Amino acid sequence: MRWWLTAVKPTKETNAMKEWTNSSCLPVIVTRKGQSFPVSVAISAVAPQELEAGQDYFLHADEHTTLAGVARRQYLLGRHAAKLAASHFTGVAAPLIRIRPGVFGQPVLDCPGHNNVQVSISHSGPQAIAVVYPEWHPMAVDIEEIRPDHELPALAAREAGLIASLPFTYYESGLLLWSAREALSKVLKTGLTTDLALFEVSTLQMQEGFLFSTFVHFMQYKAVSQIAGNMIYTLVLPQRSDPDLTALRTLINSVSRYS
């Protein structure tokens, strides 16, 4: 595993992306039907002033924005996590990689010399997460800040019964299910623009500290979620694909303390 934790300034001799200690990227091996391949998952918890000062290290020329306030911070956090993952996956310098919106607002990755590689991005509160993956193996991520003062999204009757056995508070359990739903909506490229009942969770199972969720109407997918600090991290991928949980845990724990 390669860690992206030391501060390295790009020079004429290198395409290295500037790296901050409160962000991390790891290759996560996914195994499917006896074959394995890597995807890159990155989490960023970089402070706003550092993002502003260092944006030229990771933004493409077309990605500079006039957004302000919280929207700007979330945008820069998301782009930073996505560029860490994309640069790690492809070896291409981050400022040369462009992320543009698709027709449904989904992020689309344009990377010189690399076709059929895509990205999923999520941000909440002080952190953002991204996964870069081969297009033939759809994946998505979601991240949620645990803030019990916020209203919990509505659960279906089946879901309310399922969370009773989980070792979390009612709010945390409900937010875990919401995170799984939201990540599924990203895989399907609908976002939360359709009937939420379509994303209803079917089963829940704890495994090695992660919550595995399956879905009533989309049985071909599953969600893998973990709580660390005051954040929830979720990865959705095909049902018969298995991510390296040790790598995921290492990545999450390396950054969750910065929340």
Side-chain angles (χ1 to χ4, degrees):
M1 296 180 183
R2 180 177 179 183
W3 287 88
W4 293 70
L5 292 172
T6 56
V8 179
K9 185 175 181 179
T11 66
K12 293 180 180 179
E13 290 75 31
T14 180
N15 285 330
M17 176 176 170
K18 178 178 177 180
E19 296 144 14
W20 289 266
T21 54
N22 49 348
S23 63
S24 186
C25 182
L26 277 180
V28 174
I29 301 301
V30 175
T31 302
R32 180 175 176 82
K33 296 183 178 180
Q35 297 184 333
S36 299
F37 60 94
V39 301
S40 288
V41 184
I43 302 172
S44 178
V46 177
Q49 60 271 24
E50 291 187 78
L51 288 171
E52 288 288 350
Q55 60 184 287
D56 288 340
Y57 286 99
F58 61 93
L59 288 184
H60 185 279
D62 293 343
E63 293 178 323
H64 288 277
T65 178
T66 58
L67 291 171
V70 174
R72 181 178 184 86
R73 167 172 164 70
Q74 296 293 297
Y75 174 85
L76 292 177
L77 261 179
R79 282 297 190 274
H80 183 253
K83 294 307 186 69
L84 271 177
S87 187
H88 183 276
F89 190 86
T90 64
V92 176
L96 301 179
I97 300 169
R98 180 172 68 124
I99 299 172
R100 56 183 175 82
V103 294
F104 297 118
Q106 79 277 17
V108 177
L109 190 68
D110 288 338
C111 185
H114 294 267
N115 296 319
N116 306 117
V117 176
Q118 287 305 326
V119 63
S120 174
I121 308 169
S122 180
H123 46 70
S124 181
Q127 293 190 22
I129 186 171
V131 60
V132 170
Y133 57 92
E135 196 168 37
W136 57 266
H137 187 273
M139 302 178 74
V141 288
D142 184 65
I143 189 170
E144 300 290 340
E145 184 180 20
I146 299 172
R147 296 186 60 182
D149 56 315
H150 284 189
E151 183 178 353
L152 181 68
L155 300 177
R158 176 203 298 262
E159 294 173 325
L162 287 172
I163 66 174
S165 62
L166 295 180
F168 310 110
T169 68
Y170 182 83
Y171 180 84
E172 291 169 343
S173 298
L175 199 57
L176 279 162
L177 266 63
W178 176 260
S179 184
R181 285 177 166 195
E182 187 148 352
L184 176 64
S185 77
K186 293 176 182 178
V187 164
L188 301 175
K189 293 183 172 57
T190 63
L192 298 175
T193 60
T194 188
D195 187 344
L196 295 181
L198 287 174
F199 307 130
E200 183 179 347
V201 170
S202 174
T203 66
L204 298 175
Q205 179 181 4
M206 293 297 301
Q207 179 181 337
E208 297 182 37
F210 288 85
L211 179 65
F212 283 71
S213 310
T214 61
F215 304 94
V216 173
H217 302 290
F218 296 94
M219 294 176 288
Q220 67 269 48
Y221 288 107
K222 67 184 175 187
V224 183
S225 306
Q226 186 180 41
I227 294 179
N230 68 330
M231 306 297 293
I232 289 172
Y233 307 86
T234 295
L235 176 70
V236 161
L237 69 170
Q239 171 70 258
R240 296 183 181 179
S241 300
D242 296 308
D244 182 345
L245 297 182
T246 299
L248 278 178
R249 183 182 299 105
T250 298
L251 173 66
I252 290 169
N253 290 342
S254 71
V255 179
S256 64
R257 64 184 182 273
Y258 294 105
S259 61

